[in-house]
Amino acid sequence: MSEEFRIEHDTMGEVRVPRNRYWGAQTERSFENFKIGEARMPKEIIRAFAVLKKAAAEANRDLDLITPERADLIKAAADIVLSGKLDDNFPLVVYQTGSGTQSNMNMNEVLANVGNALYNAGWKKGMPLPEPLPSPLSGTEERILHPNDHVNRSQSSNDTFPTALHIAALLLTEDRVLPSAEKLRDCFKTLEKKYWDIPKTGRTHLQDAVPLTLGQEISGWRSMLDHDIHQIRVSSESLRELALGGTAVGTGLNAHPDFPALSASYITRLTGKEFVTAPNKFQALTSKDAVVFVHGALKALAADLLKIANDVRMLSSGPRCGIGELIIPANEPGSSIMPGKVNPTQCEAVTMAAVRVMGNDVTVGVAASQGNFQLNVFMPVIAHSFLESANLLADAMESFRVHCAEGIRPNYEKISENLERSLMLVTALNPHIGYEKSAKIAKKAHQEGLTLREAAVQTGFVSEEEFDAWVDPRKMTGAASDAEQ
């Protein structure tokens, strides 16, 4: 048994920890005490924690609060975490303490133990990191780093977790969600131009309506994404404010007065994203309004994606007994029993991701409302929900673009057939013969199975020549004038 474990201790006593893991006593206690679900702390939060600990080490070194040697060891250990080599050293679940204290300590303990192992292996700044990494210390070796006194210097879980949340949320939003949305938007822009002049039946209330062009219809999808991208960019600005430096309740107790701004500047340098220290740390610790704001923009994107995907799958329904105006790529067999069936699977995946995001928005909103006194204690579930939404949207948009949207093409024959049968072309007669006479033509055509042209001439309200001159689907779309503009 002694070969499998080593002994670590904290203020509550000794704890057995797996010998080959770098975490310490507080991590192990959390691992044993919270067997709730299978969702682990998101890797984006782990990476963000490593960034902020590295920045904090730099700031503490500059302020003479830790030695340069200790700062170098913390930074080296943080770089190893950022490389992903230590992912299995962060085992804690989302449903732990609501401040994320155990995840903060998980990072503190891993960085301290890795740093101590490097120190005892003789590593110095400028040297390559040893491969493989030295094992966690288990004896009387010198421990130059303490997880609380050095790695967590000038910090509290109460300000580090919201800081990690903002870092992770901004990076994921700007580096994954927005690029995926822009690529899909550009795909629709290409289709919009390509099919601008194809008149087709419009539909409102799921019923036939006056015509528009296929390009105009796609332009609506493109414009939705334009608006979503703008809203996400605007809302994301609020994520740039960091709570770091507020420590336990927002007063900054035990932190140097220059630490907040200095650490924010290092986080900016490390991430390539602009971050600033939050002007009011009491708000930064207890309010999660920035995350609610941005997730609301993600929900708006999800709502538009749900609409777009539904449009595509309904317009491509058939192939013989549906609307059938669009042809989408056939990626895989659609049925285990019906040979030859092909389903709009990419559309279905997008819509499922969208409704998951909508559910996450409820979780984020309710959790954010629980900022009791000086701290919100729902932060892990907020982080998990937000980051899941962002990843789902980024992945879903990329998959939908590559495997569906880029392959959308018109079924010209079906579009023409549906347009010719549409009763709502009669709307073009309104200015010439009035609404009531036009309605009589439409009803006669529908009840007697006539074309509009036949019904119009039989009523005597218009001649064949007048009908042909006045009822021109392409002119009704205004596409020509739109194209000129």
Side-chain angles (χ1 to χ4, degrees):
M1 188 66 69
S2 61
E3 295 180 358
E4 299 176 10
F5 296 92
R6 71 179 194 277
I7 300 299
E8 289 275 351
H9 75 277
D10 59 13
T11 57
M12 295 183 69
E14 293 185 342
V15 179
R16 291 197 313 171
V17 176
R19 180 177 292 276
N20 63 342
R21 295 291 185 257
Y22 291 96
W23 69 69
Q26 292 195 47
T27 302
E28 185 64 27
R29 291 188 195 279
S30 179
F31 185 62
E32 295 298 329
N33 291 335
F34 294 94
K35 302 290 188 181
I36 305 175
E38 297 182 358
R40 306 289 168 180
M41 191 59 63
K43 66 179 184 300
E44 293 88 358
I45 291 291
I46 302 303
R47 305 287 192 273
F49 258 117
V51 167
L52 81 85
K53 295 296 178 181
K54 186 175 180 180
E58 301 248 34
N60 284 324
R61 177 205 59 207
D62 292 352
L63 297 169
D64 294 325
L65 298 175
I66 62 174
T67 64
E69 184 176 30
R70 287 191 171 101
D72 291 339
L73 289 168
I74 294 170
K75 288 162 53 184
D79 284 336
I80 296 171
V81 171
L82 288 169
S83 74
K85 295 178 180 178
L86 297 176
D87 284 352
D88 56 0
N89 278 265
F90 300 94
L92 301 187
V93 296
V94 169
Y95 299 96
Q96 52 171 278
T97 181
S99 62
T101 298
Q102 281 98 25
S103 283
N104 180 45
M105 284 307 304
N106 186 184
M107 180 62 67
N108 291 334
E109 290 175 341
V110 168
L111 295 183
N113 284 333
V114 171
N116 286 327
L118 291 174
Y119 176 76
N120 280 271
W123 181 86
K124 301 288 184 182
K125 181 181 179 180
M127 295 174 60
L129 292 169
E131 288 286 352
L133 291 174
S135 300
L137 305 183
S138 58
T140 59
E141 302 96 333
E142 183 179 0
R143 295 174 183 257
I144 190 174
L145 291 178
H146 188 278
N148 297 82
D149 296 339
H150 303 122
V151 183
N152 201 58
R153 186 66 184 264
S154 307
Q155 305 152 63
S156 162
S157 300
N158 297 354
D159 66 352
T160 58
F161 200 97
T163 297
L165 173 56
H166 276 212
I167 293 171
L170 185 68
L171 290 175
L172 190 52
T173 299
E174 288 196 343
D175 293 347
R176 294 210 63 220
V177 177
L178 287 174
S180 291
E182 288 165 348
K183 289 178 182 177
L184 182 57
R185 184 269 318 275
D186 292 344
C187 172
F188 286 141
K189 188 181 294 185
T190 298
L191 296 175
E192 171 188 345
K193 293 179 180 179
K194 186 174 183 179
Y195 302 129
W196 184 259
D197 292 328
I198 302 174
K200 65 182 294 291
T201 300
R203 294 174 178 88
T204 60
H205 304 273
L206 298 181
Q207 304 295 308
D208 300 344
V210 295
L212 76 169
T213 71
L214 179 55
Q216 288 172 327
E217 188 164 38
I218 295 173
S219 78
W221 305 342
R222 183 265 307 157
S223 185
M224 288 176 197
L225 293 177
D226 276 333
H227 284 78
D228 293 326
I229 290 165
H230 173 71
Q231 290 157 6
I232 292 170
R233 287 195 185 282
V234 170
S235 62
S236 294
E237 290 301 307
S238 59
L239 294 173
R240 300 188 191 281
E241 293 186 4
L242 301 181
L244 196 59
T247 65
V249 297
T251 61
L253 179 67
N254 291 347
H256 190 286
D258 293 335
F259 176 80
L262 192 56
S263 59
S265 69
Y266 276 117
I267 291 171
T268 296
R269 186 180 305 176
L270 291 170
T271 61
K273 310 287 185 185
E274 183 180 356
F275 288 99
V276 297
T277 185
N280 188 302
K281 301 299 188 298
F282 306 104
Q283 181 271 346
L285 265 62
T286 195
S287 174
K288 300 295 147 246
D289 53 3
V291 180
V292 173
F293 189 24
V294 182
H295 198 278
L298 296 182
K299 182 178 72 170
L301 172 60
D304 281 340
L305 289 173
L306 185 60
K307 179 266 191 296
I308 292 168
N310 276 338
D311 280 0
V312 171
R313 66 173 165 181
M314 286 191 283
L315 288 171
S316 63
S317 62
R320 294 189 175 182
C321 300
I323 294 175
E325 293 179 350
L326 293 183
I327 299 171
I328 58 175
N331 297 315
E332 61 272 318
S335 172
S336 61
I337 189 173
M338 294 175 281
K341 194 172 192 297
V342 177
N343 295 330
T345 52
Q346 290 295 321
C347 298
E348 292 164 4
V350 169
T351 55
M352 285 191 289
V355 298
R356 179 67 178 189
V357 172
M358 293 174 185
N360 283 343
D361 194 67
V362 175
T363 299
V364 169
V366 173
S369 73
Q370 302 302 302
N372 299 321
F373 303 112
Q374 278 69 60
L375 184 66
N376 180 288
V377 291
F378 284 68
M379 286 190 287
V381 76
I382 291 173
H384 181 263
S385 299
F386 184 99
L387 298 171
E388 181 187 46
S389 291
N391 276 313
L392 278 174
L393 288 171
D395 290 343
M397 286 187 290
E398 185 71 8
S399 181
F400 180 69
R401 176 182 63 84
V402 172
H403 300 294
C404 182
E406 290 181 346
I408 289 175
R409 55 192 177 91
N411 183 338
Y412 293 98
E413 183 177 350
K414 190 67 172 179
I415 288 174
S416 178
E417 175 189 339
N418 288 343
L419 182 61
E420 290 175 3
R421 295 174 59 199
S422 174
L423 297 176
M424 290 305 101
L425 295 179
V426 78
T427 307
L429 297 178
N430 285 2
H432 304 283
I433 63 175
Y435 183 93
E436 292 192 9
K437 289 181 177 179
S438 298
K440 289 180 180 179
I441 293 173
K443 290 180 180 180
K444 180 179 177 66
H446 183 55
Q447 292 168 358
E448 300 179 17
L450 303 172
T451 66
L452 274 180
R453 189 173 187 273
E454 291 169 341
V457 173
Q458 287 184 21
T459 61
F461 296 148
V462 297
S463 66
E464 292 180 351
E465 292 76 12
E466 288 171 329
F467 185 92
D468 292 340
W470 294 337
V471 182
D472 184 333
R474 190 174 186 283
K475 289 181 180 178
M476 293 173 70
T477 68
S481 58
D482 288 347
E484 291 169 1
Q485 292 174 7

